[in-house]
Amino acid sequence: QVRLVESGGGSVQAGESLRISCGASGRHFRTIGMGWFRQAPGKEREFVAYIGWIGGYSDYADAVKGRFTLSRDNAENTVYLQMNDLQPEDTAIYYCNTGGAYNGRQYTPGQYWGQGTQVTVSS
């Protein structure tokens, strides 16, 4: 089975940056990539970004495009989400996911989820 562990969340002021990470471990770990989702109070969970392990292709939600950047360390099975110019609207719990499918246009989440890490942005 696959286990995901997230870290790096915290509280910042608008305009500042954070980098959160998600490490994956487990036997027979052969997923295609890692996705990120977030959920703010009173809102549904929404897609943030996706990166593939092999090709490294990244896909971003319009709300974060140009500010957030994904990177990966395949040897450590770890994905990093660099979040720049954070805004109060980015405040949410951020979750990583793997085991899903990517068709070149949309990432469908799989069965493995992290516990979530809180990101709070104040103005």
Side-chain angles (χ1 to χ4, degrees):
Q1 296 296 105
V2 176
R3 183 173 183 176
L4 305 181
V5 179
E6 299 161 319
S7 63
S11 298
V12 299
Q13 293 184 318
E16 296 182 341
S17 300
L18 281 174
R19 189 176 75 160
I20 58 177
S21 64
C22 178
S25 62
R27 297 161 62 189
H28 303 107
F29 180 59
R30 298 295 297 271
T31 62
I32 62 169
M34 185 81 74
W36 284 92
F37 297 80
R38 67 185 182 185
Q39 186 169 24
K43 297 183 179 180
E44 295 184 347
R45 182 179 294 172
E46 65 176 342
F47 170 78
V48 176
Y50 167 80
I51 187 169
W53 295 114
I54 304 301
Y57 179 82
S58 299
D59 194 7
Y60 301 90
D62 289 343
V64 306
K65 194 172 298 182
R67 298 187 297 118
F68 290 13
T69 304
L70 283 168
S71 61
R72 73 199 195 282
D73 185 340
N74 288 2
E76 299 293 332
N77 294 325
T78 300
V79 166
Y80 302 92
L81 182 62
Q82 178 69 41
M83 302 180 291
N84 295 329
D85 192 27
L86 283 163
Q87 301 298 314
E89 300 80 60
D90 298 315
T91 296
I93 302 175
Y94 285 72
Y95 301 88
C96 60
N97 173 274
T98 195
Y102 184 70
N103 65 1
R105 295 175 177 83
Q106 178 179 338
Y107 175 70
T108 301
Q111 65 189 95
Y112 304 110
W113 292 91
Q115 79 285 357
T117 186
Q118 177 71 49
V119 173
T120 302
V121 185
S122 60
S123 60

